[in-house]
């Protein structure tokens, strides 16, 4: 016999407060701090390290070095050093490293950002000693042979250069950084095909740069899913061969404070249309340049939808609902001592033109307080979620933590960031929007320049 569905009256009664039953011993939601997402730090033999002992059978271990494109001595050095990761060392060939990693069921990875070079591995928890030894060997005993440089490293870099030529989004982002910061953070993440990297990339020069990049004060070891005491033991044993200082014959790694300039650049391209409007943003939390109101403003502007089958609730999502062939998104790209708040538009040129005008109108509305308080509260909640989600993500957390240790000796702790975002007021968001409009913007445009607007046409100062 099929049971009858509950009547409407029964459902209504169940939803009333007097009928809801709440257990007396119900626990409150755990705080960020109590969830164990923060890192425990230490130092052994001059090497900084951090661990987060997340219960589970696997571990992720990485070396985070201050050797991204911002700090490279010559064009292509950051990418060249990345591509030499897990190549032949004085103890093992690259084939042996690959085969041993496969036998242990592990994954090896290497990538670089504008500030950091990250080399790491994912493996079963009991294999921590082997991979700690391997990473220590990679950063101190790589051979930097000529045949590997020309046959494997430069060849792959040139393939990447060809792919960038067709990537208008990457071109616009590199352009925005170059216009905003010039040198340092303005250096392209990957060298373009017009950069004469072969006159700079030599095996001996890369070897010297590696000794500077992997000098003890310039890198940190970070682990997720490892005991702090165990990590301390193996780091102290396998990282002793790292140099204490950079070679004297090398110029010092550039550490000048970043300076924001602003301006405009337009690049004709028939492979797509991209436009980036950018402003000075928020730096990293550990660098002393963190601005939580920028994180809230980024979520308030939005553009991209996080809810399936919905255009989203953000201001730009609603304002550009009519431009269906323009995809809009807002991000704050944070760095050690600076940040870049970017509003990216991609799609049909005529729709991007209309959407870009909406960006300026929305910023003006925020600066004058012509928005609902409910929008501010939703933006604070979204900013908090996005920040905590990024910190909880193992890959993102590794780089953020390592960079914080190298820069200031402390990792990026999630509870402090969450509290800062919760303390943002409506007035702080209004002042942030007003300061952006009053200052110089950065505008980078790639695509059909006949249709895509100039900065002054949409009311921006460059």
């Amino acid at each position: 016999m099929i049971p009858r569905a509950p009547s409407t009256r029964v459902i209504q009664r169940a939803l009333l407060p007097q009928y809801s039953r709440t257990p007396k011993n119900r626990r409150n939601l755990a705080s960020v701090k109590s969830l164990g997402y923060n890192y425990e730090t230490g130092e052994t033999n001059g090497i900084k390290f951090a661990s987060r002992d997340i219960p589970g059978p696997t571990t992720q271990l990485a070396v985070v070095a201050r050797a991204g494109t911002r700090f490279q001595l010559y064009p292509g050095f950051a990418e060249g050093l990345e591509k030499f990761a897990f190549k032949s060392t004085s103890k093992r060939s690259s084939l042996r490293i690959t085969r041993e990693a496969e036998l242990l069921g592990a994954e090896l990875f290497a990538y670089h950002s504008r500030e950091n070079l990250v080399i790491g591995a994912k493996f079963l928890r009991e294999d921590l000693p082997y991979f700690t030894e391997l990473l220590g060997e990679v950063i101190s005993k790589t051979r930097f042979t000529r045949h590997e440089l020309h046959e494997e490293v430069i060849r792959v870099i040139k393939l990447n250069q060809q792919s960038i030529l067709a990537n208008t989004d990457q071109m616009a982002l590199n352009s925005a950084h170059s216009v905003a910061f010039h040198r340092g953070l303005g250096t392209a993440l990957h060298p373009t095909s017009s950069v004469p990297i072969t006159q700079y990339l030599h095996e001996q020069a890369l070897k010297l740069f590696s000794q500077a990049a992997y000098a003890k004060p310039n890198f940190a070891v970070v682990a997720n899913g490892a005991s702090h005491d165990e990590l301390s033991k193996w780091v102290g044993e396998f990282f002793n061969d790292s140099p204490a200082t950079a070679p004297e014959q090398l110029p010092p790694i550039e550490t000048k404070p970043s300076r924001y300039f602003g301006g405009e650049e337009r690049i004709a391209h028939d492979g797509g249309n991209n436009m980036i409007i950018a402003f000075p943003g928020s730096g990293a939390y550990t660098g002393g340049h963190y601005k939580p109101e920028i994180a809230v403003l980024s979520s308030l502007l939005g553009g991209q939808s996080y809810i399936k089958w919905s255009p989203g609730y953000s201001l730009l999502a609603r304002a550009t609902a009519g431009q269906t062939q323009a995809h809009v998104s807002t991000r704050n790209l944070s760095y050690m001592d600076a940040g870049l708040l970017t509003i990216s538009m991609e799609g049909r040129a005529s729709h991007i033109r209309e959407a870009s005008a909406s960006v300026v109108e929305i910023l003006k509305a925020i600066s004058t307080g012509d928005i609902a308080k409910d929008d501010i509260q939703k933006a604070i909640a979204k900013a908090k979620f996005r920040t905590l989600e990024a910190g909880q993500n193992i890959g993102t957390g590794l780089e953020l933590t390592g960079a914080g240790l190298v820069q200031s000796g402390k990792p990026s702790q999630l509870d402090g960031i969450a509290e800062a975002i919760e303390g943002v007021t409506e007035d702080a968001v209004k002042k942030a929007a007003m300061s952006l409009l009053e200052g110089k913007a950065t505008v980078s445009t790639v695509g059909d320049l006949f249709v895509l607007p100039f900065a002054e046409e949409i009311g921006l100062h460059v």
Side-chain angles (χ1 to χ4, degrees):
M1 182 176 179
I2 300 175
R4 291 187 305 166
S7 66
T8 303
R9 181 177 296 276
V10 172
I11 295 175
Q12 290 174 342
R13 290 181 63 190
L15 293 177
L16 290 175
Q18 59 266 36
Y19 289 100
S20 63
R21 295 181 179 180
T22 304
K24 294 181 180 179
N25 60 347
R26 186 184 67 179
R27 295 182 300 171
N28 293 325
L29 292 176
S31 66
V32 175
K33 196 168 187 177
S34 68
L35 291 175
Y37 291 140
N38 290 335
Y39 284 85
E40 188 176 355
T41 62
E43 185 171 339
T44 177
N45 297 330
I47 300 169
K48 301 179 183 70
F49 65 93
S51 65
R52 188 165 60 176
D53 195 2
I54 301 175
T58 63
T59 298
Q60 189 163 334
L61 179 71
V63 171
V64 182
R66 187 167 55 181
T69 52
R70 173 181 180 175
F71 302 110
Q72 64 185 3
L73 298 178
Y74 299 102
F77 269 39
E79 186 152 9
L81 202 56
E82 173 206 322
K83 297 295 186 289
F84 256 112
F86 306 111
K87 294 292 187 289
S88 299
T89 69
S90 59
K91 294 178 64 176
R92 297 176 240 215
S93 67
S94 59
L95 178 61
R96 178 182 168 185
I97 291 173
T98 302
R99 291 290 172 83
E100 288 178 350
E102 289 177 341
L103 286 172
L104 294 173
E107 297 179 13
L108 306 177
F109 62 88
Y111 68 90
H112 73 277
S113 61
R114 283 189 158 78
E115 290 189 314
N116 306 302
L117 172 63
V118 183
I119 299 173
K122 305 174 186 178
F123 48 87
L124 295 175
R125 192 182 183 102
E126 59 266 23
D127 296 326
L128 177 64
Y130 171 83
F131 287 99
T132 309
E133 180 183 11
L134 176 61
L135 291 186
E137 183 181 319
V138 166
I139 70 172
S140 61
K141 294 183 172 64
T142 296
R143 294 175 57 200
F144 293 97
T145 60
R146 178 173 295 182
H147 73 274
E148 286 178 319
L149 173 65
H150 291 281
E151 294 175 11
E152 300 182 31
V153 174
I154 292 181
R155 183 179 64 85
V156 174
I157 291 177
K158 288 185 175 180
L159 290 174
N160 288 342
Q161 289 177 328
Q162 295 177 13
S163 66
I164 292 173
L165 289 174
N167 190 334
T168 56
D169 180 55
Q170 188 68 33
M171 290 177 67
L173 191 59
N174 281 333
S175 169
H177 279 82
S178 178
V179 171
F181 299 111
H182 293 184
R183 298 185 183 274
L185 288 174
T187 304
L189 189 59
H190 302 279
T192 60
S193 57
S194 58
V195 176
I197 59 170
T198 52
Q199 76 180 47
Y200 298 106
L201 284 179
H202 300 284
E203 60 274 11
Q204 290 303 316
L206 273 175
K207 186 174 184 178
L208 285 174
F209 178 61
S210 74
Q211 293 170 5
Y214 299 135
K216 289 182 179 180
N218 210 50
F219 76 90
V221 182
V222 187
N224 269 290
S227 162
H228 188 74
D229 293 336
E230 191 176 0
L231 180 64
S232 175
K233 173 186 175 182
W234 299 123
V235 168
E237 180 173 341
F238 294 126
F239 280 82
N240 282 328
D241 293 331
S242 300
T245 58
E248 294 181 359
Q249 60 266 46
L250 275 184
I253 291 180
E254 188 64 62
T255 56
K256 285 184 179 179
S258 297
R259 179 185 169 192
Y260 178 84
F261 294 91
E264 183 173 18
E265 183 176 25
R266 295 167 64 82
I267 304 170
H269 201 290
D270 64 353
N273 300 288
N274 285 80
M275 185 175 183
I276 292 180
I277 299 173
F279 303 93
S282 169
Y285 182 72
T286 54
H289 298 267
Y290 183 66
K291 302 174 183 176
E293 64 272 15
I294 294 294
V296 175
L297 181 59
S298 174
S299 296
L300 182 62
L301 290 169
Q304 64 273 44
S305 175
Y306 296 98
I307 303 173
K308 192 174 183 179
W309 310 122
S310 167
Y313 61 80
S314 65
L315 299 182
L316 282 178
R318 300 199 297 260
T320 60
Q323 290 82 53
T324 56
Q325 296 186 44
H327 303 284
V328 184
S329 62
T330 306
R331 289 187 300 165
N332 177 66
L333 306 174
S334 61
Y335 302 107
M336 182 174 67
D337 58 356
L340 197 64
L341 178 65
T342 63
I343 302 154
S344 304
M345 290 158 282
E346 177 184 8
R348 191 172 182 175
S350 58
H351 285 213
I352 291 177
R353 184 184 183 94
E354 296 172 7
S356 63
S358 299
V359 170
V360 181
E361 292 174 2
I362 292 296
L363 280 172
K364 290 179 179 178
I366 296 173
S367 67
T368 58
D370 192 19
I371 54 172
K373 290 185 178 180
D374 186 49
D375 288 327
I376 297 286
Q377 294 303 315
K378 287 188 289 186
I380 291 174
K382 174 56 71 175
K384 181 180 176 182
F385 169 77
R386 289 170 66 180
T387 302
L388 295 179
E389 182 191 34
Q392 181 183 345
N393 180 279
I394 292 178
T396 307
L398 285 174
E399 183 177 355
L400 289 174
T401 301
L405 284 176
V406 173
Q407 175 193 350
S408 61
K410 59 181 181 180
S412 180
Q413 303 291 28
L414 297 183
D415 50 337
I417 303 175
E419 290 173 3
I421 292 175
E422 288 176 343
V424 173
T425 62
E426 182 179 353
D427 189 53
V429 176
K430 288 165 55 178
K431 289 181 178 178
M434 187 176 299
S435 67
L436 299 185
L437 291 172
E438 291 174 349
K440 290 183 66 175
T442 293
V443 180
S444 294
T445 308
V446 180
D448 185 358
L449 302 185
F450 179 76
V451 178
L452 295 171
F454 284 86
E456 63 178 358
E457 293 175 354
I458 56 177
L460 291 174
H461 306 292
V462 291

